[in-house]
């Protein structure tokens, strides 16, 4: 990485949950390094990897996410969210849009959702058990569970929820050619059309769901329709895809780590701590997400970033910064260290981390309790992993009990 020309960072599919060797070397090199990316406008940009540098870049208002239409180097062939998404808006407009949905994902809102989520999860496990072993844990549980929950929260009819899954699998991938870009663009437009239809229905007949809340916010002028659609699409697609892969990855770790599985079987109260440590440890993303642009010269990690330059951050790398997390490659659910950044940091952190935690904690607790003999039905090396995805996860988890 010390060559005169900055290295090209291109996300590649890695075996199972192996840590990205490029990021590992970048962590050794410096808090912020100069890189080139494979797509977008040719040129160089910055990549922040160490914990303090990542937190600084993601929280300092001199780094803007107003990037739509800017010629920038990119990891991907297209911008994943819709153009009017909160991902691409700075405060105060960012705060205005997010405030519409914040109450749905606060502690009281999530607590109210818990009984319903538990009932859904129990039913899915009942069906898997009734089908008999071996069974695919992803197909039976870790995929339909978050799809049902985000569908219910948003008020998406059950008949339309499989379309959310299809669109998410299309949009949240690394498009390998222009045909892939077009498929992703069409999927985003189809999802946008669904939520436009649902919002119009809710204006006439409101229900107890988030789409009704969003529709009312448009009607009373708090947000614009395009802002509402971008937010709904983001939650609908990522709210399933990310949780499906997060929880599938966690179960893979448990099913391949006897000591950790035994600990949770004997001490169910340790599940929340296990979820937090696994969120830190699992390298859940391939590559990095969207950049920020410096609005003035700023010094970060000993380097001066010039006005107009693009800066990417790696939350995955920051979670393995040994200055914050000693022996970062070791899973330690009793670890006492600084908070992980799996849900991001600063104004653009995940809109619903409490919901994601609820789903993960319920899933791990219930599976460990109800199926104490749960184990992989194949050798770990035979588990198939998704290709060309932005958020890593197994295609399936064959299990028996």
């Amino acid at each position: 990485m010390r060559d005169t020309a900055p290295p090209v960072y291109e996300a590649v599919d890695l075996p199972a949950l192996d840590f990205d060797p490029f990021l590992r070397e970048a962590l050794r090199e410096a808090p912020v390094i100069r890189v080139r990316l494979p797509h977008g406008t040719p040129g160089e940009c910055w990549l922040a990897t160490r914990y303090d540098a990542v937190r600084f870049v993601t929280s300092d208002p001199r780094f803007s996410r107003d990037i739509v239409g800017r010629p920038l180097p990119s990891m991907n062939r297209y911008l994943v969210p819709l153009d009017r998404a909160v991902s691409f808006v700075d405060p105060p407009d960012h705060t205005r849009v997010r405030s519409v949905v914040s109450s749905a994902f606060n502690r009281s809102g999530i607590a109210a959702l818990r009984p319903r989520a538990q009932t859904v999860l129990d039913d899915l496990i009942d069906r898997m058990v009734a089908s008999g072993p071996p069974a695919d844990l992803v197909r039976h549980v870790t995929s339909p569970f978050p799809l049902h929950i985000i569908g219910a929260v948003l008020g998406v009819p059950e008949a339309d929820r499989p379309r959310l899954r299809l669109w998410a699998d299309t949009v949240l991938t690394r498009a390998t050619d222009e045909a892939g870009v077009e498929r992703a663009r069409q999927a985003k437009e189809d999802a946008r059309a669904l939520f436009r239809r649902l919002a119009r229905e809710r204006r006439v007949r409101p229900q107890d769901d988030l789409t009704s809340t969003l529709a009312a916010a448009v009607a009373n002028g708090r947000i614009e329709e395009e802002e509402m659609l971008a937010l709904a699409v983001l939650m609908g697609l990522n709210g399933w895809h990310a949780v499906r892969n997060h929880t599938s990855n966690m179960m893979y770790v448990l099913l391949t780590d006897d000591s950790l599985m035994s600990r949770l079987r004997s001490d169910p109260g340790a599940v929340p701590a296990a979820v937090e440590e696994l969120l830190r440890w699992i390298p859940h993303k391939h590559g990095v997400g969207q950049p920020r642009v410096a609005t003035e010269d700023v010094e970060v990690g000993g380097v001066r970033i010039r006005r107009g330059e693009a800066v990417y951050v790696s939350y995955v790398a920051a979670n393995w910064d040994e200055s914050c997390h000693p022996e970062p490659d070791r899973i330690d659910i009793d670890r006492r260290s600084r908070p992980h950044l799996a849900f991001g940091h600063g104004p653009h952190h995940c809109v619903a981390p409490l919901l994601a935690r609820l789903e993960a904690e319920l899933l791990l607790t219930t599976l460990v309790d109800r199926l104490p003999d749960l184990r992989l039905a194949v050798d770990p090396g035979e588990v198939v992993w998704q290709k060309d995805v932005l958020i890593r996860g197994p295609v399936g988890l064959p299990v028996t009990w």
Side-chain angles (χ1 to χ4, degrees), residues 130 132 198 238 249:
L198 292 177
N238 202 52
N249 290 335

Side-chain angles (χ1 to χ4, degrees), residues 295-313:
T295 58
E296 59 182 84
D297 290 3
V298 187
E299 184 170 312
V300 184
V303 301
R304 181 165 293 277
I305 296 172
R306 303 292 183 182
R307 178 182 178 183
E309 291 185 322
V311 187
Y312 284 82
V313 302

Side-chain angles (χ1 to χ4, degrees), residues 196-209:
R196 177 184 284 111
R197 172 176 64 81
L198 292 177
R200 288 175 178 172
E201 292 174 358
R202 296 300 190 272
R203 289 185 193 121
V204 179
R205 293 181 296 278
Q207 298 182 20
D208 183 19
D209 57 45

Side-chain angles (χ1 to χ4, degrees), residues 253-271 274 333 368-369 371-374:
V253 172
L254 290 185
L255 293 166
T256 55
D257 187 331
D258 291 340
S259 63
L260 182 55
M261 180 69 91
S262 296
R263 170 72 183 276
L264 298 189
R265 285 172 178 156
S266 63
D267 182 13
V271 166
I333 68 173
V368 168
D369 175 60
L371 298 174
D373 295 323
L374 187 70

Side-chain angles (χ1 to χ4, degrees), residues 50-191:
R50 292 187 189 167
Y51 189 92
D52 288 337
V54 168
R55 282 173 56 95
F56 182 85
V57 170
T58 53
S59 59
D60 192 293
R62 292 173 292 180
F63 293 101
S64 171
R65 284 291 288 267
D66 183 8
I67 63 170
V68 175
R70 290 177 181 258
L72 299 169
S74 175
M75 292 290 299
N76 204 20
R77 294 175 183 270
Y78 63 95
L79 293 175
V80 173
L82 294 173
D83 288 351
R84 296 297 300 279
V86 291
S87 306
F88 304 138
V89 182
D90 295 326
D93 284 339
H94 175 269
T95 308
R96 170 180 55 82
V97 175
R98 277 183 62 128
S99 66
V100 174
V101 299
S102 59
S103 62
F105 298 117
N106 62 20
R107 292 190 181 280
S108 60
I110 298 305
L113 184 62
R114 178 181 286 269
R116 181 177 186 179
Q118 184 68 67
T119 298
V120 170
L121 181 57
D122 285 335
D123 181 62
L124 291 171
I125 295 173
D126 286 342
R127 295 184 186 188
M128 183 179 76
V129 170
S131 73
D136 183 350
L137 190 63
V138 173
R139 183 172 70 85
H140 282 280
V141 181
T142 63
S143 177
F145 180 50
L147 183 64
H148 184 99
I149 298 304
I150 196 62
V153 168
L154 287 168
V156 177
E158 288 195 33
D160 288 316
R161 291 175 192 173
R163 300 168 69 199
L164 287 184
R165 182 177 60 212
L166 175 63
W167 294 330
D169 277 337
T170 303
V171 173
L172 297 170
T173 58
R174 299 194 306 269
T176 58
D177 52 29
E178 289 307 308
V181 173
E182 177 56 27
R183 286 193 295 271
R185 186 201 66 78
Q186 186 60 55
K188 289 194 291 185
E189 286 303 307
D190 290 344

